Amino acid sequence: QVHLVDSGGGLVQAGGSLRLSCAASGRTFSSVAMGWFRQSPGKEREFVASIMWSGGRTFYSDSVKGRFTISRDSAKNTVYLQMSSLRPEDTAVYYCAAPGLGYTPAYYSYNYYYSVLYDYWAQGTQVTVSS
């Protein structure tokens, strides 16, 4: 099992920055990556960014590429999402997530954006960007 706890959300003005954190415990060594999804009212949950534990390869959605940066601290089993140049449309609940155990890096690299791959989810943290 993998247990995730995310934090760092809040209220920020457009153009501002926030940093989200997600701490993992449990069988993290068996999960190939960790990432972030977000969901706003009336919309489906969407992929934001993820990072592979081994090698640090990163993946981003087109909507956040160039504005958000995901990083990891393997020693702390923690992943960070640095969000800059925030826009009102970034307002959502952000969820940290980890894929199910056993996916290979190759498989994950082609399917990272599918939420069904992710078996472990944190409780979510609200990010609100005011205009």
Side-chain angles (χ1 to χ4, degrees), residues 37-48 88-95 125-128:
F37 285 73
R38 67 186 182 186
Q39 187 169 22
S40 52
K43 294 187 177 181
E44 293 187 356
R45 191 170 296 188
E46 63 172 350
F47 173 81
V48 176
E89 53 263 40
D90 294 318
T91 296
V93 178
Y94 284 69
Y95 297 91
T125 185
Q126 176 71 47
V127 172
T128 303

Side-chain angles (χ1 to χ4, degrees), residues 37-68:
F37 285 73
R38 67 186 182 186
Q39 187 169 22
S40 52
K43 294 187 177 181
E44 293 187 356
R45 191 170 296 188
E46 63 172 350
F47 173 81
V48 176
S50 67
I51 186 166
M52 298 179 72
W53 287 112
S54 178
R57 184 178 176 185
T58 57
F59 305 88
Y60 296 95
S61 68
D62 288 342
S63 61
V64 307
K65 197 172 296 183
R67 299 187 298 122
F68 292 10

Side-chain angles (χ1 to χ4, degrees), residues 1-4 31 96-101 117-122:
Q1 292 294 322
V2 177
H3 182 59
L4 305 176
S31 187
C96 174
L101 307 182
L117 260 64
Y118 296 78
D119 286 349
Y120 307 102
W121 296 84

Side-chain angles (χ1 to χ4, degrees), residues 1-4 24-34 53 77 98-103 120:
Q1 292 294 322
V2 177
H3 182 59
L4 305 176
S25 60
R27 296 184 59 188
T28 54
F29 63 89
S30 295
S31 187
V32 66
M34 258 169 66
W53 287 112
N77 287 334
L101 307 182
Y103 289 114
Y120 307 102

Side-chain angles (χ1 to χ4, degrees), residues 36 82 126:
W36 296 89
Q82 179 67 46
Q126 176 71 47

Side-chain angles (χ1 to χ4, degrees), residues 3-10 17-25 34-37 49 51 53 69-73 76-83 93-97 121-127:
H3 182 59
L4 305 176
V5 177
D6 55 18
S7 62
S17 299
L18 279 175
R19 190 177 83 154
L20 306 183
S21 300
C22 180
S25 60
M34 258 169 66
W36 296 89
F37 285 73
I51 186 166
W53 287 112
T69 301
I70 190 168
S71 61
R72 76 199 192 295
D73 184 334
K76 297 181 179 179
N77 287 334
T78 300
V79 170
Y80 305 97
L81 185 68
Q82 179 67 46
M83 305 184 294
V93 178
Y94 284 69
Y95 297 91
C96 174
W121 296 84
Q123 76 281 5
T125 185
Q126 176 71 47
V127 172

